[in-house]
Amino acid sequence: MNLKQLSALLDLSQTTVSRALNGYPEVSEATRRRVLEAAHRHGYKPNSNARKLATGRAGSIGYVLPVGRNIDLDPHFVEFLSGLGEHALSREIDLSLTPAPYERESEAYHRIAASRSVDGVYLSSMRNDEQRIALVRELGIPFLAHGRALKPENGYAFVDIDNEGAFHDATRLLLQLGHQRLAFINGDTDFSFAMHRLDGVRRAMADRGLPVAKLQHHSAAMNEENGYRIANMLFRDADPAIRPTAVLSASMFTTLGIVRALNQLGLKMPDDVSVITHDDVFPFLKPESFSVPLSTTRSSIRAAGARICERLVDIISGAESEPVQEIWPVELIVRASTGPAPAEHRMVRRRTAETAE
């Protein structure tokens, strides 16, 4: 079936059918659905070259992929890309990756703008002093950010999770359970999500009157080896009277290393130490599958990828014209890895309170 036949079947003009298939905002949602359903039912596939000529679009969205000797293939990115790719397939949109080392990232965006090889780009791994927003605006490239910069440009569109709220709630739970000696094994604080999480932990401690200086905070790339290394540093040779009674972890991958270290040191969750981690909902790494099911803050990074693609396509088509700033709430799920502070710690607190009286 071709466009002319599909138009005749629907009793619509070819222009209306083409615009509905390509997401133009002036086509009503009811008409768009009707056209898409008929196209799917009758197996209509638009000619990609003809569509590009008719719309003036590349039919592709892009991403500048960091490369270099110090860049690892991050499972978080792979999961995000899976969600983005699934939605791109449903909208018949291609993905284009432009590899570039960090120091030559600006050149990559200039090439994208000059070649017009993509209709828009998404930005991820937002940095504390983010430079890319101003750059893509200057180049006239439609964009959507996954995350927020600490010092952002005004009025840009993004999708993010409430990182600060998530770790505030997780910390508040631990404090309610009597924990006062906390450790936070965070992600790299060059990135804004890690700073937002640290702000959440500090705010919860301040709310309870605890000095934030008591927090043992460590920042590193979120992988198993760093979790293992830092957990050993926190617990292996530490005096039980001063070592943390609870650990907050930025990622399930970091927590793999934390749990390995605790097992080797003979420390039990939650009797000796409580653990709360962030879960990006990886299908191959489930918190309930650990020997002690893990308490988590949970938000699907795959769902975020799909949403980024959905909104970026709408931005490109003009269906989304305002810079919507979307922040997802994060669910706190309490499982067996979290419990009251160890008995000796509660006794120290009780003696301190009695002395103060």
Side-chain angles (χ1 to χ4, degrees), residues 35 53 60 81 91 95 159 206 210 222 234-235 241 270 324 333:
V35 170
L53 286 172
S60 178
L81 196 62
R91 299 288 289 264
L95 303 181
V159 174
L210 288 176
M222 297 182 296
L234 287 169
F235 292 101
V324 176
I333 302 174

Side-chain angles (χ1 to χ4, degrees), residues 206-236:
D207 290 345
R208 298 280 291 199
L210 288 176
V212 295
K214 292 188 65 173
L215 175 69
Q216 298 189 54
H217 176 248
H218 298 270
S219 168
M222 297 182 296
N223 57 49
E224 181 177 359
E225 192 53 42
N226 282 333
Y228 178 78
R229 174 181 58 82
I230 295 171
N232 267 299
M233 183 171 61
L234 287 169
F235 292 101
R236 185 172 53 200

Side-chain angles (χ1 to χ4, degrees), residues 47-93:
N47 181 287
S48 60
N49 291 327
R51 181 171 62 181
K52 290 173 184 177
L53 286 172
T55 63
R57 297 181 190 149
S60 178
I61 59 177
Y63 177 68
V64 174
L65 178 69
V67 296
R69 281 186 296 178
N70 296 324
I71 302 294
D72 295 325
L73 187 61
D74 187 346
H76 301 86
F77 170 71
V78 174
E79 187 67 10
F80 174 87
L81 196 62
S82 296
L84 188 142
E86 287 170 2
H87 191 81
L89 178 62
S90 73
R91 299 288 289 264
E92 297 188 338
I93 298 292

Side-chain angles (χ1 to χ4, degrees), residues 282-296:
F282 296 101
F284 52 86
L285 186 60
K286 297 182 181 297
E288 59 271 24
S289 298
F290 281 67
S291 56
V292 177
L294 297 171
S295 295
T296 61

Side-chain angles (χ1 to χ4, degrees), residues 224-225 227-229 231-233 235-236 243 256-269 272-273 291:
E224 181 177 359
E225 192 53 42
Y228 178 78
R229 174 181 58 82
N232 267 299
M233 183 171 61
F235 292 101
R236 185 172 53 200
R243 74 187 180 199
L256 281 171
I258 295 170
V259 170
R260 177 157 61 97
L262 294 178
N263 288 339
Q264 290 179 1
L265 295 170
L267 297 174
K268 305 295 184 184
M269 297 185 294
D272 299 308
V273 58
S291 56

Side-chain angles (χ1 to χ4, degrees), residues 23-26 32 91 313-322:
Y24 279 81
E26 59 265 33
R32 190 191 324 278
R91 299 288 289 264
V313 170
D314 286 345
I315 288 169
I316 291 165
S317 72
E320 181 180 320
S321 57
E322 297 298 324

